[in-house]
Amino acid sequence: MSRIGRKSIPVPANVKVAVKPGEVAVSGPLGTLTTKLKPEVRVSHDEAKKEIAVSLAPGVTAESRLARALWGTTRALIASNIKGVTAGYSKEMEVVGVGWTAAVQGANLKMTLGFANSIVMPIPKGLKVNVEKQIVKVEGPDKQMVGHFAAEMRSHRKPEPYNGKGVKYRQEVIKRKSGKAFGTA
């Protein structure tokens, strides 16, 4: 049995859930998100108790490793969608380097990271990007989209261990290395 999958998902009052064949749609104050369902998993919504239950489909045994994995994963995805449409997700990125900047220009994020040309990243629909000095805050209801956009930003110039320059997560700690040792007396 899946320990995560067995837990029911509480549904807040301001969230609407629509269970359709093959997908679950969750809508709330911050938007609407859908989760595709695998045939090994069944989802039921109890409006009286205000909770969602995820279980294995009829004919699928709990001995199947894939079925147990899909059971827990489906429950976790639906729970993160409910949190996303109510509270949302955010990541804070920090641009570290002399003269390195980030700015929002229309529907694009423009970063100057020490290359000959600036890097222009289109901001996906559903995300909000705010820039204050060297801090870039990415917000949105979809956890995967927020994390992917932040990881893509970081991939353009990963932080390096000698000077600490680069694009990094705000809470990320960069292990610093000492440079070459000059002169031996």
Side-chain angles (χ1 to χ4, degrees):
M1 301 268 309
S2 171
R3 286 176 283 167
I4 301 291
R6 277 185 286 171
K7 296 181 182 178
S8 62
I9 307 165
V11 179
N14 58 353
V15 174
K16 294 180 183 175
V17 178
V19 179
K20 301 173 188 169
E23 73 175 18
V24 175
V26 178
S27 60
L30 297 180
T32 302
L33 297 173
T34 60
T35 303
K36 301 264 188 223
L37 298 177
K38 299 288 184 179
E40 292 87 357
V41 180
R42 184 178 66 204
V43 175
S44 60
H45 178 232
D46 187 359
E47 293 184 28
K49 292 182 180 179
K50 294 194 174 191
E51 66 182 19
I52 298 173
V54 181
S55 61
L56 291 176
V60 179
T61 62
E63 285 113 28
S64 170
R65 189 178 178 111
L66 175 66
R68 284 194 318 264
L70 290 174
W71 187 8
T73 301
T74 303
R75 189 245 178 239
L77 289 174
I78 295 170
S80 71
N81 283 354
I82 289 174
K83 181 182 175 193
V85 297
T86 54
Y89 291 97
S90 68
K91 294 267 186 191
E92 288 187 347
M93 306 296 289
E94 191 172 356
V95 180
V96 181
V98 177
W100 293 13
T101 60
V104 176
Q105 293 182 340
N108 296 320
L109 176 67
K110 181 180 177 185
M111 295 187 297
T112 307
L113 301 176
F115 297 120
N117 298 319
S118 297
I119 297 167
V120 178
M121 293 177 58
I123 300 171
K125 289 184 180 179
L127 288 186
K128 294 179 195 169
V129 178
N130 299 323
V131 179
E132 291 183 25
K133 297 185 182 179
Q134 301 295 97
I135 307 298
V136 179
K137 189 169 185 179
V138 182
E139 298 175 309
D142 191 355
K143 184 177 186 178
Q144 181 188 2
M145 193 182 296
V146 169
H148 181 72
F149 188 77
E152 199 174 304
M153 274 181 61
R154 186 179 185 274
S155 71
H156 288 296
R157 190 73 145 197
K158 292 181 182 174
E160 52 98 9
Y162 296 102
N163 297 322
K165 298 190 314 185
V167 179
K168 67 181 193 85
Y169 296 104
R170 185 93 187 263
Q171 299 82 14
E172 185 178 10
V173 176
I174 307 299
K175 280 189 163 183
R176 301 293 294 267
K177 294 181 179 178
S178 61
K180 294 180 180 177
F182 288 105
T184 54

